[in-house]
Amino acid sequence: MSQQDMKIAIVGLGGMGDWHRNLIESIDGLTLAGIYDIKEERQEYAREKNVKVYDSFEELLGDKSVELCLIATPNDLHKPLAIAAMKAGKNVVSEKPVTLSSADLQEMIEASKETGMLFTVHQNRRWDEDFLTMKKIYKENRLGEVFRIESRVHGSRGIPGDWRQEKEHGGGMVLDWGVHLLDQILLMMEGVKLKKVYTTMTYVTNQLVDDGFTASLLFENGTEVIVEVGTSNFVNLPRWYMLGSNGTAIIEDWSLKGEIVSAKGQNEKDVVPVITAAGLTKTMAPRREDTIAKTELPVVKSDIRDFYRNVMKTIRGEEEIIVKLPEVARVMRLMEALFESAEKKQVIDFE
């Protein structure tokens, strides 16, 4: 540690808080000052890792050496803790979802304006390489005019057995995973208004919060996007599936297994029909190999540590923050539209 290192304190050393602790140790110029957690077992765990444990949240806020505070508690606690930290002169990173409603978020934004403290959200999956790869394919028009995008994450273990199953703490898959997938889509469709939203939700494993959802999003340019999260899927559908006028791109899973298949040359002639159990079809017959081109995915590499590097440089006045509050607010409004659509069983006008 050098005298110029920025010091960060963590509030909440659960799964994500500990993930941040490990990440911080690998970032030059950033040092963990200590943690605060209400659970004694997490305090003891921190001590075993030779990490300072604050006796109270107030003690943490009183440490003048701390410039940056990470809030990694259950979702319903983000707002009061973040506002208190900003009022104590700390810059704040909140875990996602930033809070439970647009009204709460506005209070947090106002606190940032009043105090002059940086306030941003750990939208870490902006650095997912599968997303960045699909975004590149879309932006570079590799498939021709894209008319449909499907983004899915599937699991078969239900919701984790903790506060994520409890509505009052901000549980459910819209707030847990939807916040990531919707953020990714809005970034991919940058500058395009989202006009219509229709959503269905599932409650297979519990009745308290959604354990899955399917959202259909219609953008002003005509592109339809399906965003889906499922926790009772024992056979997963592809992570990404993008359809364009001249080709299709697919990413199967987190390992980035996939490809781009596009048309080449003139339209096919002399199509050989496919024989099905009840008849013939030319429409659904596969293309001949000489009329298609298969190419590897243009994989985009990333480094999640760039999130904190950007936060640090923004605090120092050297860069502009990447995760901007208007973007966070738009995602929050969209999640609220999903809930409204599912409850009313109606299409919702969004923008």
Side-chain angles (χ1 to χ4, degrees):
M1 182 182 74
S2 70
Q3 291 182 341
Q4 288 74 39
D5 279 3
M6 182 175 292
K7 288 188 177 182
I8 181 173
I10 298 175
V11 183
L13 196 65
M16 279 308 299
D18 198 41
W19 181 89
H20 282 274
R21 181 191 64 79
N22 274 301
L23 185 69
I24 290 163
E25 290 179 353
S26 70
I27 300 173
D28 292 338
L30 187 61
T31 299
L32 180 59
I35 69 98
Y36 172 66
D37 196 295
I38 61 173
K39 295 183 178 180
E40 290 185 7
E41 62 267 28
R42 300 311 294 169
Q43 296 173 17
E44 185 58 33
Y45 172 80
R47 293 187 183 99
E48 291 173 359
K49 297 292 183 180
N50 296 315
V51 173
K52 177 180 177 178
V53 177
Y54 293 98
D55 291 333
S56 66
F57 182 49
E58 290 71 25
E59 183 189 3
L60 182 154
L61 296 184
D63 186 344
K64 297 186 183 302
S65 72
V66 173
E67 288 189 66
L68 182 59
C69 185
L70 167 71
I71 310 297
T73 61
N75 302 329
D76 58 317
L77 298 175
H78 291 175
K79 184 184 81 168
L81 294 172
I83 291 176
M86 285 186 277
K87 288 184 176 179
K90 310 301 183 189
N91 300 288
V92 172
V93 171
S94 172
E95 255 301 334
K96 59 79 209 170
V98 59
T99 187
L100 304 187
S101 71
S102 292
D104 284 349
L105 175 56
Q106 190 57 41
E107 290 184 46
M108 301 166 85
I109 293 173
E110 290 301 321
S112 176
K113 292 178 180 178
E114 291 170 4
T115 61
M117 293 295 105
L118 174 71
F119 169 52
T120 190
V121 182
H122 186 235
Q123 289 288 168
N124 53 306
R125 295 201 175 275
R126 291 187 178 196
W127 281 263
D128 275 358
E129 293 179 353
D130 58 278
F131 159 63
L132 293 173
T133 299
M134 273 304 201
K135 183 181 177 185
K136 180 180 177 69
I137 292 169
Y138 177 80
K139 293 294 185 181
E140 294 183 351
N141 201 34
R142 294 196 178 203
L143 305 178
E145 184 177 354
V146 171
F147 58 89
R148 184 179 175 94
I149 303 169
E150 300 178 12
S151 170
R152 292 183 170 88
V153 290
H154 283 164
S156 58
R157 299 179 181 277
I159 300 176
D162 56 14
W163 56 265
R164 289 174 179 81
Q165 293 183 343
E166 300 170 0
K167 186 174 183 178
E168 62 269 27
H169 293 312
M173 286 298 104
V174 169
L175 290 170
D176 191 40
W177 265 101
V179 66
H180 287 307
L181 304 190
L182 297 171
D183 182 61
Q184 290 178 344
I185 289 298
L186 292 182
L187 287 175
M188 187 179 294
M189 305 292 291
E190 182 181 11
V192 183
K193 288 184 177 180
L194 172 56
K195 304 303 292 183
K196 304 286 185 180
V197 177
Y198 181 73
T199 308
T200 58
M201 296 184 183
T202 59
Y203 298 84
V204 177
T205 60
N206 71 89
Q207 297 298 313
L208 299 177
V209 296
D210 62 290
D211 62 5
F213 69 88
T214 302
S216 178
L217 314 177
L218 182 61
F219 285 83
E220 190 172 46
N221 63 359
T223 304
E224 181 186 21
V225 177
I226 300 297
V227 176
E228 183 174 271
V229 175
T231 58
S232 295
N233 300 68
F234 291 83
V235 178
N236 294 348
L237 291 176
R239 171 69 186 90
W240 289 95
Y241 188 61
M242 184 181 291
L243 303 168
S245 58
N246 196 51
T248 299
I250 186 171
I251 295 180
E252 296 283 357
D253 50 35
W254 305 115
S255 69
L256 275 84
K257 176 185 176 183
E259 63 181 349
I260 298 173
V261 179
S262 54
K264 68 177 183 180
Q266 300 298 316
N267 291 335
E268 282 191 309
K269 298 178 180 178
D270 303 322
V271 177
V272 178
V274 172
I275 301 174
T276 69
L280 304 177
T281 174
K282 285 188 176 181
T283 305
M284 300 306 165
R287 279 181 171 266
R288 296 195 314 269
E289 288 296 317
D290 63 321
T291 67
I292 59 173
K294 295 183 179 180
T295 56
E296 293 183 356
L297 297 169
V299 174
V300 178
K301 295 296 183 180
S302 67
D303 185 348
I304 185 54
R305 292 174 295 183
D306 287 341
F307 171 82
Y308 274 115
R309 291 169 180 146
N310 172 249
V311 169
M312 295 162 64
K313 288 182 178 179
T314 301
I315 292 172
R316 298 287 190 246
E318 300 169 359
E319 283 187 3
E320 182 180 352
I321 196 68
I322 291 175
V323 181
K324 298 174 176 60
L325 293 176
E327 298 167 347
V328 174
R330 191 179 182 214
V331 173
M332 179 61 70
R333 292 194 303 273
L334 180 51
M335 290 191 294
E336 290 171 335
L338 263 63
F339 285 120
E340 181 183 0
S341 175
E343 181 180 356
K344 294 181 177 179
K345 297 180 173 61
Q346 293 177 0
V347 175
I348 302 298
D349 293 325
F350 188 67
E351 294 172 328

